[in-house]
Amino acid sequence: MTEETFPEIREAVRKLCARFPGSYWRELDRDRAYPTEFVGALTEAGFLSVLIPEEYGGSGLGLKAAVAILEEVHRSGCNGAACHAQMYTMGTVLKHGSEAQKQAYLPGIASGELRLQAFGVTEPDAGTDTTRITTFARKVGDKYVVNGRKIWISRAEHSDLMVLLCRTTPRDEAKKPSDGMSVLLVDLRQAVGNGLTIRPVRTMLNHATTELFFEDLEVPAENLIGQEGQGFRYILDGMNAERILIASECLGDARFFIDRASHYAKERTVFGRPIGENQGVQFPLARAYVQMTQASLMVDHAASLFEAGQPCGTEANMAKLVASEASWYAADMCLQTHGGFGFAEEYDIERKFRETRLYQVAPISTNLILSHVATHVLGQPKSF
């Protein structure tokens, strides 16, 4: 492979992750518990604030540094999904918030005093068709009154703040479907029990996801980010960073599976020789490495465009697609290489197998990415 980017950062992340071995994650997985100690260690080390400018207490590094951090977290067998939103969700405030909002929130997010990890977009009846969300914020004097429902909102129980997308103009009254949506910064510490109810949703992996119910939740009007009615555009900005960073996690997962399978294939002896001598074992390993390398180049390209301030929606989507497919192929190959032992909890393969499968569905499904490429790149007619 080509020389590692940010070698010092990667080495520091590896050392930190070594303090949280598979046994730590297996115990959390059984109880569906949040990795508080791990998140605290990443925060204290400054890894979650790398994208926040120095004037607000962060490192002021580019997206590629964040890519390196999350890739190493996942290659080490840990799971960055518990806190990765702390990296990219703040971008909505950084890019579109007022100076007063930046001063009020970004230093606390950088230090870890405030957790901004919840991203309230998806709704049960809208899914990925974001323009059809119905959660509504009605302006009443110096506040917004919010009513509605959200689902698949991860980390809401472990976050102090949430970026919430809601309608401020009904869809049928807006000039176009993507108009009339606004972004509010919700203080969850005050909201829970005062108009917001959080219900955990148990899933096949430990992802701390929830369903949210809003009943006359009052949010100060000063918590509106940017201009009313322009929220959809603000959210799209953050989604590009999200998809590139999740792609980096998939790269880390792929490397984890390839590392584990390669080692096992050299050590496991059957019929008097290492199973890695068989091409039936070698070739899937080699193919996984090729796919992972291809995906790595695509992620790097998308991150370069993002850092340069260039349009990168298509590239971010493609990076997420190829990286998630590379990680899933590597996961399947690794499980096959380990045979029955791959299903044993102590090997950590089955846990990571479940975790990496998520990313062909979230935060956007593979088919919707293909639809985007077909219509926006190839000029095909929209199918919906």
Side-chain angles (χ1 to χ4, degrees), residues 296-367:
S296 178
L297 295 172
M298 187 68 233
V299 172
D300 185 71
H301 175 55
S304 294
L305 291 175
F306 185 93
E307 287 189 347
Q310 299 296 315
C312 63
T314 295
E315 290 78 9
N317 274 313
M318 291 195 297
K320 187 264 178 183
L321 184 148
V322 297
S324 66
E325 291 188 340
S327 67
W328 179 237
Y329 178 80
D332 194 37
M333 172 278 307
C334 184
L335 187 64
Q336 192 71 19
T337 300
H338 279 77
F341 289 104
F343 291 86
E345 285 187 356
E346 65 183 286
Y347 280 74
D348 292 311
I349 305 302
E350 62 86 26
R351 171 178 62 84
K352 295 291 288 181
F353 185 91
R354 287 182 283 112
E355 289 173 358
T356 207
R357 181 59 180 86
L358 172 67
Y359 292 131
Q360 289 195 58
V361 174
I364 183 172
S365 73
T366 296
N367 281 346

Side-chain angles (χ1 to χ4, degrees), residues 188-230:
L188 295 172
R189 298 166 298 180
Q190 299 174 5
V192 175
N194 294 301
L196 172 61
T197 301
I198 301 178
R199 184 177 71 84
V201 178
R202 190 174 176 90
T203 63
M204 68 182 285
L205 66 155
N206 185 18
H207 200 68
T209 197
T210 64
E211 187 172 13
L212 309 181
F213 300 88
F214 301 90
E215 296 180 57
D216 294 331
L217 172 67
E218 296 183 357
V219 179
E222 64 187 26
N223 285 26
L224 173 71
I225 296 178
Q227 296 182 2
E228 186 176 290
Q230 299 300 309

Side-chain angles (χ1 to χ4, degrees), residues 68-274:
I69 290 167
L70 290 178
E71 183 180 329
E72 291 302 328
V73 164
H74 281 248
R75 185 176 188 176
S76 297
C78 300
N79 188 358
C83 51
H84 57 198
Q86 188 88 350
M87 285 185 168
Y88 59 78
T89 305
M90 66 83 205
T92 304
V93 179
L94 179 62
K95 286 189 174 183
H96 306 290
S98 66
E99 185 57 34
Q101 289 172 332
K102 295 175 188 179
Q103 294 288 352
Y105 297 109
L106 292 180
I109 295 169
S111 69
E113 180 184 349
L114 291 174
R115 284 184 180 173
L116 174 53
Q117 297 182 8
F119 197 38
V121 177
T122 307
E123 297 186 6
D125 297 325
T128 314
D129 189 357
T130 305
T131 66
R132 294 191 182 277
I133 65 169
T134 57
T135 296
F136 199 86
R138 181 170 55 91
K139 183 78 175 293
V140 180
D142 61 353
K143 62 192 175 188
Y144 285 93
V145 179
V146 182
N147 284 279
R149 182 180 169 200
K150 298 285 183 180
I151 197 167
W152 311 127
I153 310 305
S154 300
R155 300 164 300 274
E157 294 178 292
H158 306 282
S159 186
D160 298 314
L161 306 170
M162 174 175 63
V163 169
L164 175 68
L165 182 68
C166 48
R167 281 215 163 267
T168 44
T169 301
R171 188 176 189 269
D172 56 5
E173 295 179 16
K175 291 182 179 179
K176 55 183 181 179
S178 59
D179 287 345
M181 288 182 278
S182 302
V183 173
L184 298 176
L185 191 62
V186 177
D187 190 327
L188 295 172
R189 298 166 298 180
Q190 299 174 5
V192 175
N194 294 301
L196 172 61
T197 301
I198 301 178
R199 184 177 71 84
V201 178
R202 190 174 176 90
T203 63
M204 68 182 285
L205 66 155
N206 185 18
H207 200 68
T209 197
T210 64
E211 187 172 13
L212 309 181
F213 300 88
F214 301 90
E215 296 180 57
D216 294 331
L217 172 67
E218 296 183 357
V219 179
E222 64 187 26
N223 285 26
L224 173 71
I225 296 178
Q227 296 182 2
E228 186 176 290
Q230 299 300 309
F232 185 70
R233 178 169 59 86
Y234 304 157
I235 292 295
L236 286 181
D237 285 346
M239 286 180 175
N240 288 335
E242 176 191 42
R243 288 165 191 176
I244 294 169
L245 290 176
I246 285 178
S248 74
E249 293 183 348
C250 291
L251 290 178
D253 284 344
R255 292 182 188 276
F256 168 88
F257 291 120
I258 294 168
D259 289 346
R260 291 294 181 94
S262 297
H263 176 77
Y264 188 81
K266 287 184 286 188
E267 298 295 324
R268 174 64 168 163
T269 299
V270 179
F271 299 119
R273 65 179 187 175

